[in-house]
């Protein structure tokens, strides 16, 4: 089955974010963790800290600071689904929340029509 343009764009954004996080000393420990009630795009770890990353990727031929932000698409119902998926991941992987800190981040990737990166925005600790 072939991927849609939206799926290809999302995968490109997730790959770029994976490289971005690696450059910031994070180790990618999971990708596309799916449950019927939610999906976590990327799970990264640095030291005793785990980051659950929601990636939003948009294509634009230009970038203006006045434009809509991709992270605006993370609505309360999406946060609720993400929180439930995170809690499931923590339980399934027997993560001791007294020893490991975790947070949810949203990373927005802005691409031009050729797939080149215009900008990456990192919104940390959205809960």
């Amino acid at each position: 089955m072939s991927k849609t343009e939206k799926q290809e764009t999302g995968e490109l954004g997730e790959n770029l974010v994976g490289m971005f996080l690696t450059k910031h000393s994070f180790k990618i420990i999971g990708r596309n963790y799916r449950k019927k009630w939610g999906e976590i795009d990327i799970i990264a770890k640095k030291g005793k800290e785990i980051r659950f990353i929601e990636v939003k990727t948009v294509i634009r031929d230009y970038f203006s600071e006045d434009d809509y932000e991709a992270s605006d698409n993370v609505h309360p119902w999406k946060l609720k689904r993400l929180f439930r998926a995170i809690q499931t991941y923590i339980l399934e992987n027997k993560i001791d929340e007294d020893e490991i800190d975790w947070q949810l981040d949203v990373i927005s990737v802005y691409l031009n029509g050729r797939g080149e990166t215009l900008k990456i925005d990192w919104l940390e600790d959205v809960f």
Side-chain angles (χ1 to χ4, degrees):
M1 185 166 90
S2 64
K3 294 180 182 177
T4 65
E5 186 176 329
K6 183 177 178 180
Q7 288 171 322
E8 287 179 0
T9 299
E11 187 175 317
L12 175 59
E14 288 177 15
N15 290 337
L16 290 167
V17 169
M19 290 185 287
F20 175 82
L21 289 168
T22 300
K23 287 179 184 175
H24 284 86
S25 303
F26 283 89
K27 178 182 177 192
I28 306 303
I29 59 173
R31 297 257 323 243
N32 303 114
Y33 173 80
R34 286 184 178 93
K35 293 295 177 187
K36 62 183 173 183
W37 49 84
E39 176 186 359
I40 304 166
D41 294 326
I42 296 176
I43 304 162
K45 185 175 183 182
K46 180 171 29 173
K48 292 187 176 228
E49 179 179 32
I50 294 178
R51 302 282 183 105
F52 297 95
I53 311 292
E54 173 68 12
V55 178
K56 293 294 182 187
T57 308
V58 295
I59 295 176
R60 295 190 181 154
D61 287 327
Y62 64 92
F63 186 79
S64 166
E65 291 294 329
D66 296 331
D67 284 340
Y68 147 91
E69 295 293 327
S71 61
D72 292 343
N73 240 357
V74 183
H75 301 289
W77 64 268
K78 175 70 172 179
L79 289 173
K80 184 176 179 180
R81 291 172 60 87
L82 283 165
F83 182 73
R84 190 167 173 205
I86 290 167
Q87 289 302 115
T88 303
Y89 180 89
I90 288 169
L91 289 170
E92 282 182 358
N93 290 278
K94 298 176 177 55
I95 294 170
D96 185 348
E97 292 188 74
D98 292 329
E99 303 217 1
I100 298 287
D101 290 324
W102 66 269
Q103 67 185 49
L104 172 65
D105 297 349
V106 177
I107 300 181
S108 303
V109 179
Y110 299 90
L111 306 172
N112 65 19
R114 296 179 302 280
E116 300 164 332
T117 306
L118 296 171
K119 177 180 168 184
I120 295 178
D121 277 338
W122 189 355
L123 181 60
E124 297 184 81
D125 203 10
V126 297
F127 278 133

